[in-house]
Amino acid sequence: MIEEGSKSSKATVEKRQLFMEMRAQNFDVIRLSTYRTACKLRFVQKRCNLHLVDVWNMIEAFRDNGLSTLDHNAEINVSRLETILSSIFYQLNKRLPTTHQINVEQSIGLLLNFMVATYDSEGHGKLTVFSMKSMLSTMCGGKIVDKLRYIFSQISDSSGTMVFAKFDQFLREVLKLPTAVFEGPSFGYTEHSVRTCFPQQKKILLNTFLDVMMADPPPQCLVWLPLMHRLANVENVFHPVECSYCRSESMMGFRYRCQQCHGYQLCQNCFWRGHASGPHSNQHQMKEHSSWKSPAKKLSHAISKSLGCVPIGEPPHPVFPEAAERPQDLAHPTQLKPVSNNMNDTILMSSGAPTSTKSTLESPSRLDEEHRLIARYAARLAAEASNSTQCPPTDLSFNFDANKQQRQLIAELENKNREILQEIQRLRLEHEQASQPTPEKAQQNPTLLAELRLLRHRKDELEKRMSALQESRRELMVQLEGLMRLLKDEEQKAAQTGGSPHSSPSHSASCTMPMPIRSTSAGSTPTHTPQDCLAGVGDDVLDAFSQGVPRNLRNDLLVAADSITNTMSSLVKELHSVDDGLEDEEVNMRNGRDKVSAPRHYGNRHSTPSF
């Protein structure tokens, strides 16, 4: 009895240990629920050492434990679940170096208690196969695109189309994870969750599923999933920038830059807690940065981008062929192919081929290919073993990754250069075609061309006449200004001598002013562009009119000014009508019309002014 009581108390302590450690991290001070949920699940993932298990290792463990042959709704008890978790972590320790071994028993206990608390809250002691697959494939390590491909293989039919009922079941299971870390009000399951992810699509294939799940922003109910992967990628990223609130001279993780306050940047702790200082407010839009680029690197990237050396608009995931996606349970070893991985170069993944298992087993070419593959990997392992004394494995993987990235970059640059050359050739041909004359069009529409020439000639004549009138108006106003100055001088002299202010000015002005006005003929083009110089005339004209200028002089000046103004207005209207006619004829010419109306005659629309 005492032993049973101690075991039950120990199990209770282990069950609460993970949640107590998570509460000690004080994640609840994070202001935004998305970051709060992602941080909590990332803590559970690291605490249970699931981040060290790749998604393809997890799928291989499902196959080794016979889960690929079971129905999704089949139930397994807690003891078998513990056996499965034991095989996962013991295989992990075999792949890890001896200096990075994990505590297998502790990892099994923490993860087992978390899964039971999440998916067996009523205490039945059983979990469904689909619940376990959904949880482990979501919380393990690896790329998010690989996880989503495996999830799609579990919720699609044999034709490669997603089954909405299975996707709804997946949402029920995966959204229990936020609920388990006390974020159910924000990311709990609802009946409308499926339609919020795919509001209009009826037939969902693999690429469409990946587009929706990896979009920016992703579906609201799963927005924490890509954020959890971004958290894993930036945990060790260093930003040599000072935080504008806490004044820390360096940042780790995310960096946030305000889009309104110049040079205002916050570390992730200050931003998550809603800290702000100075003119900055929490309502300002912030941009999240997951890496640091020096000003020199930014400048080189901008120059390369402007020159077309950097691909623009890269897709968020590779595009897969629109074929049936085989469920990636890895039930048969012949369906496996090795892929590169940071932890183990011999991790096995599904090929996703739509061929049947029987044809795959019976194909001789397939068997020969497998034999060559095994021989190549055996030679590679032998070469690595012989070179292990010369350089550490980390250097080999680093060189391999660096060479792979260089080859990918070279291939992308070559493709981009090829596209640029094709675009240049296309533009050159278009330019040559556009610059070539088109005598066929001119021969087809001689009447249209004759009318167009007539309209252009008429427009040139009107522009010359308008220029002459503007020049005449300017000279007239200059002489009016001089006349007003003479009138003022005579009035001042008359006031000093005591004479009449209206007797001598007109006579003096008529004797001293050069009255003829120089004008430019309508057929000649002035040497400079005439401008309207009314702004240069002072207020003397208006002052003289208000102080009693002789009646006949004022009337003559007003009549002349009105005549010039009316003439200018009529010319402007006629120019506008000619411009409209030119635009219409040019549009008709471009459309290639064969029949046009008779040439318009503009001479009778407005009377031509004469001087």
Side-chain angles (χ1 to χ4, degrees):
M1 293 293 293
I2 297 176
E3 292 180 358
E4 292 180 358
S6 61
K7 288 182 180 180
S8 61
S9 61
K10 182 180 180 181
T12 304
V13 171
E14 290 179 351
K15 186 176 181 180
R16 296 180 180 178
Q17 179 181 355
L18 185 62
F19 295 99
M20 293 173 62
E21 292 180 359
M22 184 178 65
R23 288 184 180 275
Q25 299 295 320
N26 201 18
F27 290 122
D28 291 330
V29 300
I30 299 177
R31 182 169 54 99
L32 302 175
S33 60
T34 305
Y35 287 96
R36 190 169 59 245
T37 305
C39 288
K40 290 180 178 180
L41 292 177
R42 175 62 178 169
F43 172 79
V44 174
Q45 182 190 45
K46 293 181 66 177
R47 189 66 182 86
C48 297
N49 290 316
L50 279 175
H51 66 295
L52 301 176
V53 184
D54 190 82
V55 60
W56 302 111
N57 298 128
M58 192 66 71
I59 298 171
E60 186 180 5
F62 295 160
R63 176 185 62 85
D64 293 340
N65 288 276
L67 299 180
S68 57
T69 59
L70 296 179
D71 186 74
H72 283 174
N73 296 323
E75 294 183 344
I76 57 175
N77 54 28
V78 177
S79 60
R80 185 174 180 184
L81 175 61
E82 185 176 3
T83 303
I84 296 171
L85 297 181
S86 301
S87 66
I88 292 173
F89 287 111
Y90 278 114
Q91 289 295 327
L92 172 63
N93 254 358
K94 292 181 180 178
R95 295 189 297 270
L96 291 176
T98 56
T99 56
H100 294 79
Q101 296 288 307
I102 64 171
N103 189 338
V104 175
E105 297 297 333
Q106 185 181 23
S107 300
I108 294 172
L110 292 175
L111 183 56
L112 179 64
N113 291 324
F114 179 76
M115 293 182 66
V116 170
T118 303
Y119 294 101
D120 188 28
S121 57
E122 298 180 358
H124 296 303
K126 294 182 179 181
L127 279 74
T128 63
V129 173
F130 191 68
S131 299
M132 189 192 64
K133 286 184 177 181
S134 301
M135 186 271 174
L136 292 178
S137 61
T138 302
M139 293 293 293
C140 67
K143 297 180 180 180
I144 186 173
V145 64
D146 295 334
K147 294 182 181 181
L148 294 175
R149 283 190 65 196
Y150 172 72
I151 292 169
F152 184 82
S153 69
Q154 300 298 304
I155 61 176
S156 59
D157 55 15
S158 58
S159 64
T161 305
M162 188 188 77
V163 181
F164 279 91
K166 293 184 178 180
F167 179 66
D168 181 75
Q169 185 182 3
F170 167 73
L171 288 182
R172 288 177 184 270
E173 303 299 337
V174 79
L175 292 181
K176 290 179 181 179
L177 294 173
T179 305
V181 293
F182 315 106
E183 296 296 334
S186 300
F187 299 105
Y189 171 81
T190 61
E191 296 179 355
H192 306 287
S193 298
V194 177
R195 285 302 169 188
T196 57
C197 298
F198 302 98
Q200 298 178 353
Q201 295 92 335
K202 295 182 179 180
K203 184 178 180 181
I204 309 299
L205 301 178
L206 173 61
N207 291 323
T208 307
F209 180 78
L210 295 178
D211 288 339
V212 173
M213 293 300 162
M214 301 183 67
D216 188 15
Q220 182 60 32
C221 60
L222 294 173
V223 68
W224 50 269
L225 181 58
L227 179 57
M228 186 175 69
H229 286 78
R230 295 205 308 273
L231 280 173
N233 294 331
V234 302
E235 282 182 347
N236 298 320
V237 174
F238 175 76
H239 305 270
V241 183
E242 181 182 8
C243 178
S244 300
Y245 182 83
C246 66
R247 300 301 175 185
S248 175
E249 296 181 356
S250 60
M251 302 181 189
M252 294 293 292
F254 287 120
R255 172 171 56 91
Y256 298 89
R257 176 185 288 274
C258 181
Q259 301 299 294
Q260 300 183 25
C261 304
H262 177 70
Y264 194 90
Q265 301 187 88
L266 292 176
C267 62
Q268 65 179 18
N269 291 330
C270 294
F271 174 75
W272 290 352
R273 286 157 176 77
H275 294 161
S277 60
H280 178 70
S281 171
N282 289 331
Q283 305 301 322
H284 291 182
Q285 185 179 2
M286 303 289 287
K287 185 176 181 180
E288 181 183 279
H289 294 273
S290 57
S291 62
W292 163 257
K293 291 182 180 179
S294 62
K297 182 178 285 188
K298 290 181 181 178
L299 179 60
S300 63
H301 180 75
I303 295 174
S304 302
K305 190 174 182 180
S306 63
L307 295 176
C309 298
V310 177
I312 302 173
E314 295 181 355
H317 63 83
V319 179
F320 299 97
E322 297 294 347
E325 183 75 5
R326 176 183 293 275
Q328 299 171 0
D329 284 324
L330 307 185
H332 303 282
T334 55
Q335 298 179 9
L336 309 180
K337 69 176 181 180
V339 296
S340 176
N341 188 276
N342 292 333
M343 295 175 57
N344 189 4
D345 287 340
T346 58
I347 296 176
L348 301 177
M349 63 177 289
S350 170
S351 63
T355 57
S356 63
T357 306
K358 184 177 180 180
S359 61
T360 302
L361 290 173
E362 295 175 354
S363 174
S365 60
R366 179 70 178 178
L367 293 175
D368 294 339
E369 182 180 354
E370 288 180 359
H371 292 161
R372 290 194 298 269
L373 198 61
I374 294 172
R376 184 164 64 249
Y377 269 87
R380 181 177 176 182
L381 291 175
E384 289 180 356
S386 62
N387 295 332
S388 60
T389 57
Q390 299 178 3
C391 59
T394 55
D395 294 341
L396 289 174
S397 61
F398 176 79
N399 293 333
F400 178 78
D401 293 338
N403 293 334
K404 183 179 179 181
Q405 292 176 359
Q406 291 175 359
R407 288 194 299 271
Q408 290 178 352
L409 181 59
I410 291 172
E412 291 174 358
L413 292 177
E414 289 178 351
N415 293 333
K416 191 65 178 180
N417 187 33
R418 195 178 301 110
E419 293 176 0
I420 292 173
L421 293 177
Q422 293 176 358
E423 184 69 17
I424 291 174
Q425 185 67 19
R426 185 183 64 81
L427 293 176
R428 184 178 298 163
L429 292 176
E430 290 182 358
H431 178 69
E432 292 177 355
Q433 294 175 0
S435 61
Q436 290 178 356
T438 55
E440 296 82 8
K441 293 184 179 179
Q443 294 176 1
Q444 290 175 1
N445 301 315
T447 308
L448 188 64
L449 290 176
E451 185 177 359
L452 186 60
R453 276 193 231 97
L454 180 62
L455 289 175
R456 286 177 178 171
H457 181 67
R458 180 65 175 165
K459 181 183 177 184
D460 294 338
E461 289 182 352
L462 292 175
E463 287 179 349
K464 292 176 182 179
R465 178 170 293 182
M466 185 174 179
S467 301
L469 290 175
Q470 286 179 345
E471 179 67 18
S472 300
R473 186 183 184 195
R474 185 186 67 81
E475 293 180 356
L476 177 61
M477 298 310 295
V478 171
Q479 292 202 10
L480 285 176
E481 178 68 18
L483 180 59
M484 292 302 102
R485 283 198 297 269
L486 290 175
L487 290 175
K488 265 191 173 183
D489 295 340
E490 292 300 329
E491 286 179 1
Q492 292 176 1
K493 291 178 182 180
Q496 292 175 1
T497 57
S500 175
H502 301 292
S503 59
S504 60
S506 62
H507 176 71
S508 172
S510 63
C511 296
T512 58
M513 280 293 295
M515 291 306 293
I517 301 173
R518 182 177 61 86
S519 63
T520 307
S521 63
S524 63
T525 304
T527 58
H528 65 281
T529 304
Q531 300 292 335
D532 190 0
C533 298
L534 292 180
V537 179
D539 296 333
D540 295 337
V541 177
L542 298 177
D543 295 340
F545 285 165
S546 62
Q547 293 175 5
V549 179
R551 188 74 178 179
N552 55 357
L553 177 61
R554 181 178 60 183
N555 291 338
D556 293 341
L557 295 175
L558 290 175
V559 169
D562 291 339
S563 177
I564 292 173
T565 304
N566 293 332
T567 304
M568 295 290 290
S569 300
S570 64
L571 280 173
V572 170
K573 291 179 181 178
E574 194 160 355
L575 279 172
H576 288 174
S577 66
V578 172
D579 289 338
D580 295 338
L582 282 172
E583 291 177 359
D584 295 339
E585 296 305 332
E586 288 175 354
V587 171
N588 293 335
M589 186 175 180
R590 283 195 301 270
N591 294 332
R593 296 180 179 175
D594 296 333
K595 295 182 180 180
V596 296
S597 60
R600 299 183 178 88
H601 299 284
Y602 295 94
N604 296 328
R605 182 174 295 184
H606 299 287
S607 59
T608 305
S610 61
F611 294 91

